[in-house]
Amino acid sequence: MSNHAAYILAAYLVAAAILGGLVIASLGARNRVRRELAARGLEKRR
């Protein structure tokens, strides 16, 4: 593997790790908001 390919692979891995962290953080925040709304009796009925 050339130096260029290693750089590209590393960039993809960093981007995937950042995007994964953002997904996990946003899902956690979503669950916290849903629990808070349910505790206040404001949850949306489906």
Side-chain angles (χ1 to χ4, degrees), residues 10-21:
Y12 275 122
L13 291 175
V14 168
I18 290 171
L19 287 174

Side-chain angles (χ1 to χ4, degrees), residues 4-39:
H4 180 68
Y7 171 76
I8 297 298
L9 180 60
Y12 275 122
L13 291 175
V14 168
I18 290 171
L19 287 174
L22 288 172
V23 167
I24 291 170
S26 65
L27 289 176
R30 177 179 175 243
N31 287 336
R32 278 191 301 276
V33 168
R34 282 188 164 196
R35 281 194 307 268
E36 185 176 337
L37 288 174

